[in-house]
Amino acid sequence: MKRYHLVLLTFLVVAIGAILSLIINKAQHKIETIHCERYDIIPFDELNKAAGVDGGTITISLENTVYSLKEYSYLSRAPQYHLQIIDSLEVILTTNGEEYRVPVIAKDSYPAEISVKYEGQEIDNDSKIEVYQYELIDERFEVSATEKKNDVTQKLETVKLVDKVDTSQLGDQKISWHVSDGVNDTNFTVHVSVKENTENVGMNKDGIMELKYPHLESALVTRKRALPKDYVPELSFIPAKYSVSDGYRATPTVSNATTYLIDAMYEETGLWMFVTSSYCNYELQERLYTGYIAQYGQEAADRLSARPGTSEHQTGLVIDVVTPGGEMMKFKETKQSEWVNKNAHRFGFIVRYPEGKEDITGYMPEAWHLRYVGEDIAKKVYNSGLTYDEWYRDNFVNINMDE
């Protein structure tokens, strides 16, 4: 019996010694913290070195949730079994039943960058520009943002407009944008001084306001808001399938939108229509207007046609349409016109000179005259029930409708 007790005691002493040794060794086991950039990829041998072990099963603890290596690779969208660090976390290496937790501290030394172009030119943060009262400037800015991930630059789609300029108000203002990459916030500001147009900038020799930015899809062209005589937009041919003959041109955007418009009409109704007029340069408009005067007299010519420089056709943003074998002047009487009135805005077009609005637009009703203003504005104009002149006045600048 004494021998048995002696053996048992010896066993207990050895076991206790082994446990104490294990505790002491674990207590003395030094685990290093890994410091890296967000989106860096950490080699497995670096993890083993930091943990002081030769290897083991890897799991990841991120925001109090434990993932397998395969699950984490899917979460981080990194190649399978690559450890890409998307944020600070703990890597757990399990070997021989023991866990070794390696802290990984991720920093972000590459905040998102905002890039701003004004009138096509790159500008710096805190740049200063001057504009005149009531000028439309929003569309002059091109804004984008990028972030750097693991030496790869990626585009961000979350740039927010923070401060907007109201050009109806004189004085110093600012327009600002903000973007966040999840860690760092980046802001970009342009200081805008809105000045009174005391120098009659934008007025031509005939006393008519001349548009400074005629290329804008939102440009309002009226009898008192003319295009520069030498203005020629970028043009492309409208496919012959959609025109009464070859050779009709419009801006590339309008050419494409025209095909979408007519194709949609055909798919939804089985009806078709053709473009019968589109871009018209200053010289051609001058000949047309002179011809109307000779045929109908000055007063009638002004109702029927725009004076040279004041025709929307010069913008390249207009199409006149007609039914197959039909007459343009009778387009209003057709089913195509009915469909256009209800659906053109879906494709960025508005009926520019609606019936009963001659006192506002200055032109007789033209059901066939479709003006492209972009899908967003077209939908807003359509839903408002206003003419473009009225909608523009209420949303962009103050316009004297009696001019």
Side-chain angles (χ1 to χ4, degrees), residues 345 350 375-386 391:
H345 63 280
I350 58 172
E375 291 183 19
D376 182 55
I377 291 179
K379 290 174 183 176
K380 291 176 180 177
V381 174
Y382 175 80
N383 290 330
S384 73
L386 301 173
W391 186 88

Side-chain angles (χ1 to χ4, degrees), residues 17 45 55 67 128 166 171 176 188-189 203 266 288 312 381 397-398 403:
D45 58 356
Y67 300 91
K128 297 179 180 180
D166 179 3
S176 303
F188 196 106
T189 299
M203 304 296 285
Y266 182 75
L288 291 172
E312 287 197 320
V381 174
V397 299
N398 292 338
E403 288 184 334

Side-chain angles (χ1 to χ4, degrees), residues 23-159:
I23 293 173
I24 293 171
N25 287 338
K26 191 167 184 180
Q28 293 177 340
H29 190 99
K30 185 177 180 181
I31 295 179
E32 298 178 358
T33 298
I34 295 178
H35 295 271
C36 65
E37 292 285 342
R38 288 180 73 208
Y39 306 109
D40 276 356
I41 293 178
I42 305 301
F44 292 145
D45 58 356
E46 187 174 334
L47 293 172
N48 295 336
K49 180 180 178 182
V53 296
D54 292 331
T57 302
I58 295 176
T59 53
I60 291 90
S61 176
L62 175 64
E63 296 180 347
N64 298 319
T65 301
V66 177
Y67 300 91
S68 69
L69 181 58
K70 183 177 181 180
E71 290 170 334
Y72 179 80
S73 296
Y74 178 79
L75 177 70
S76 65
R77 297 185 179 181
Q80 191 169 349
Y81 303 122
H82 283 62
L83 190 61
Q84 186 176 54
I85 307 303
I86 59 176
D87 212 335
S88 295
L89 47 80
E90 268 192 329
V91 177
I92 307 168
L93 285 90
T94 304
T95 179
N96 298 324
E98 295 295 330
E99 286 187 354
Y100 300 91
R101 292 176 171 261
V102 180
V104 180
I105 307 301
K107 63 179 181 177
D108 195 336
S109 303
Y110 306 102
E113 294 185 357
I114 297 177
S115 174
V116 176
K117 289 183 178 180
Y118 181 70
E119 297 181 333
Q121 300 296 318
E122 195 88 26
I123 59 175
D124 296 327
N125 189 22
D126 285 325
S127 292
K128 297 179 180 180
I129 61 174
E130 291 184 350
V131 299
Y132 288 102
Q133 191 176 23
Y134 302 125
E135 281 194 283
L136 180 65
I137 68 169
D138 289 355
E139 293 181 343
R140 301 181 197 173
F141 290 99
E142 299 175 44
V143 183
S144 60
T146 56
E147 66 172 337
K148 193 173 183 180
K149 290 184 178 180
N150 197 29
D151 294 327
V152 177
T153 300
Q154 300 183 11
K155 186 176 181 180
L156 292 173
E157 303 291 346
T158 55
V159 184

Side-chain angles (χ1 to χ4, degrees), residues 210-260:
E210 190 171 273
L211 299 186
K212 190 175 180 182
Y213 301 97
H215 64 283
L216 297 178
E217 290 177 349
S218 60
L220 177 66
V221 181
T222 69
R223 295 191 187 282
K224 291 293 184 180
R225 294 169 63 86
L227 299 160
K229 182 176 181 179
D230 60 354
Y231 175 67
V232 178
E234 179 185 0
L235 297 167
S236 67
F237 286 101
I238 297 172
K241 173 183 176 181
Y242 301 90
S243 306
V244 293
S245 62
D246 293 341
Y248 288 98
R249 295 183 295 168
T251 67
T253 299
V254 173
S255 293
N256 289 332
T258 298
T259 65
Y260 301 149

Side-chain angles (χ1 to χ4, degrees), residues 220-372:
L220 177 66
V221 181
T222 69
R223 295 191 187 282
K224 291 293 184 180
R225 294 169 63 86
L227 299 160
K229 182 176 181 179
D230 60 354
Y231 175 67
V232 178
E234 179 185 0
L235 297 167
S236 67
F237 286 101
I238 297 172
K241 173 183 176 181
Y242 301 90
S243 306
V244 293
S245 62
D246 293 341
Y248 288 98
R249 295 183 295 168
T251 67
T253 299
V254 173
S255 293
N256 289 332
T258 298
T259 65
Y260 301 149
L261 172 74
I262 297 175
D263 284 343
M265 172 190 283
Y266 182 75
E267 290 173 4
E268 295 174 19
T269 67
L271 300 172
W272 194 260
M273 64 183 180
F274 292 111
V275 172
T276 187
S277 179
S278 54
Y279 169 70
C280 176
N281 63 28
Y282 183 96
E283 290 73 21
L284 177 56
Q285 187 64 32
E286 190 170 39
R287 291 197 298 273
L288 291 172
Y289 180 72
T290 302
Y292 279 122
I293 293 176
Q295 188 172 359
Y296 302 109
Q298 182 75 59
E299 184 176 347
D302 282 334
R303 289 185 65 243
L304 292 169
S305 176
R307 297 190 179 196
T310 65
S311 170
E312 287 197 320
H313 283 275
Q314 191 182 339
T315 65
L317 299 171
V318 170
I319 56 171
D320 289 342
V321 292
V322 66
T323 58
E327 298 179 26
M328 185 181 73
M329 301 293 284
K330 295 182 178 180
F331 183 74
K332 178 182 177 297
E333 304 169 9
T334 67
K335 291 182 179 179
Q336 285 89 333
S337 178
E338 182 179 343
W339 186 90
V340 164
N341 287 335
K342 296 178 181 178
N343 295 280
H345 63 280
R346 293 163 44 195
F347 307 91
F349 290 97
I350 58 172
V351 178
R352 180 66 178 87
Y353 305 120
E355 190 170 12
K357 301 292 185 177
E358 185 174 348
D359 59 326
I360 296 173
T361 66
Y363 291 98
M364 59 177 281
E366 295 186 5
W368 59 86
H369 181 104
L370 307 184
R371 163 65 193 276
Y372 187 86

Side-chain angles (χ1 to χ4, degrees), residues 188-200:
F188 196 106
T189 299
V190 178
H191 302 276
V192 181
S193 177
V194 182
K195 301 173 63 177
E196 187 176 0
N197 190 350
T198 57
E199 301 173 345
N200 287 328

